[in-house]
């Protein structure tokens, strides 16, 4: 099974790129984030015509998550823990007996603001959420836009970025706590080399061409899937095309 996480930065604006990428990459399951569209305007017909079952949960302008899959998903659940405001950031489903959790973690905007505190609280709650929906002994995948570059190798200038949103010790601590539940970063199984990024900010001139990026889109698996986790790579070609998302898809193979 080939899975991918892809922040599309507006599914309608990027639809030609998404359809092109689906044809080229042939993923079995795609976890999509930042769809930025209400459910009644989601381009279901075009994606179904491309051969995918589609489930989605979104809102105008902000957030939004979806699954595209060649086989129908099972036990689809949108939203977060009971009592937590639904901000269209979480969807989970079963694919071939594997629980897949797709998240779009809040950005945080500026350290010290209400949005920053919301991000930290959201991550704290996710640590609890993991235990609510699964056990570390289950076959499970957590993937999505985590909005955290957790090590110096995951951002183009760690010394300069350290302490800012996306590369802050408070985020590192929360992500470490979540991982302690039983998640392993699939990409980093291949090594700790720097320079592999998934997001290049449009606001930085020629950021993609200069490889001034961040690795903020991640894939994690539980211990029962470690032996069957195959290669994991960033599909940079998709980011280099005309009118792309500011993120590249992250793809990995899983033997189930």
């Amino acid at each position: 099974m080939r899975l991918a996480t892809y922040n599309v930065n507006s599914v309608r604006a990027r639809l030609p790129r998404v359809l092109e990428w689906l044809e080229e990459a042939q993923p079995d399951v795609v976890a999509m984030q930042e769809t930025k569209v209400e459910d009644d305007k989601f381009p279901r017909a075009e994606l179904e015509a491309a051969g995918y079952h589609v489930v989605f949960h979104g809102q105008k302008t902000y957030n939004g998550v979806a699954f595209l899959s060649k086989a129908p998903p099972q036990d689809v659940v949108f939203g977060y823990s009971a009592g937590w405001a639904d901000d269209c950031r979480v969807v989970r489903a079963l694919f071939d007996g594997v629980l897949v959790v797709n998240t779009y973690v809040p950005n945080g905007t500026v350290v010290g603001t209400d949005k920053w505190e919301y991000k930290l609280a959201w991550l704290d709650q996710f640590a609890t959420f993991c235990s609510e929906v699964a056990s570390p002994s289950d076959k499970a995948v957590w993937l999505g836009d985590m909005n955290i570059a957790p090590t110096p190798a995951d951002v183009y200038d760690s010394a300069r970025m350290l302490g800012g949103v996306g590369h802050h010790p408070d985020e590192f601590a929360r992500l470490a706590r979540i991982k302690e539940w039983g998640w392993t970063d699939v990409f980093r199984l291949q090594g700790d080399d720097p320079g592999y990024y998934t997001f290049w900010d449009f606001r930085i001139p020629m950021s993609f061409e200069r490889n001034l990026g961040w690795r903020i889109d991640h894939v994690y698996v539980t211990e029962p899937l470690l032996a069957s986790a195959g290669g994991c790579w960033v599909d940079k070609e998709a980011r280099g095309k005309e009118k792309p998302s500011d993120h590249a898809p992250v793809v990995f193979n899983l033997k189930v």
Side-chain angles (χ1 to χ4, degrees), residues 67-143:
F67 277 128
L68 316 181
S69 58
K70 290 185 175 180
Q74 297 179 323
D75 298 338
V76 178
V77 180
F78 296 106
Y80 212 174
S81 305
W84 192 265
D86 180 12
D87 54 2
C88 301
R89 292 183 179 275
V90 181
V91 59
R92 65 185 191 270
L94 287 175
F95 298 95
D96 202 8
V98 176
L99 174 66
V100 181
V101 181
N102 172 15
T103 61
Y104 177 43
V105 174
N107 175 277
T109 310
V110 177
V111 173
T113 64
D114 289 346
K115 290 183 177 180
W116 170 253
E117 295 303 325
Y118 179 73
K119 179 178 189 175
L120 299 183
W122 198 98
L123 291 165
D124 284 337
Q125 187 63 26
F126 189 79
T128 301
F129 174 80
C130 293
S131 297
E132 293 174 349
V133 301
S135 162
S137 62
D138 294 333
K139 292 181 178 181
V141 175
W142 170 38
L143 74 176

Side-chain angles (χ1 to χ4, degrees), residues 19-88:
L19 292 172
E20 180 182 42
W21 177 76
L22 290 172
E23 176 64 26
E24 292 172 351
Q26 290 296 313
D28 297 298
V29 178
V30 182
M32 190 179 288
Q33 307 88 37
E34 210 172 353
T35 56
K36 294 185 176 180
V37 63
E38 307 100 309
D39 288 349
D40 62 348
K41 296 178 181 177
F42 193 94
R44 174 198 288 269
E46 294 91 334
L47 292 164
E48 289 181 341
Y52 286 85
H53 299 269
V54 186
V55 293
F56 45 87
H57 185 45
Q59 61 192 64
K60 184 178 180 179
T61 309
Y62 301 104
N63 306 345
V65 287
F67 277 128
L68 316 181
S69 58
K70 290 185 175 180
Q74 297 179 323
D75 298 338
V76 178
V77 180
F78 296 106
Y80 212 174
S81 305
W84 192 265
D86 180 12
D87 54 2
C88 301

Side-chain angles (χ1 to χ4, degrees), residues 197-234:
Y197 307 127
T198 67
F199 165 78
W200 297 262
D201 196 332
F202 286 143
R203 297 170 296 180
I204 300 176
M206 303 289 286
S207 63
F208 180 68
E209 291 77 4
R210 297 158 64 196
N211 201 29
L212 304 180
W214 302 63
R215 191 181 74 95
I216 59 174
D217 303 86
H218 303 176
V219 177
Y220 298 91
V221 299
T222 51
E223 193 277 335
L225 292 179
L226 281 176
S228 55
C232 182
W233 65 97
V234 181

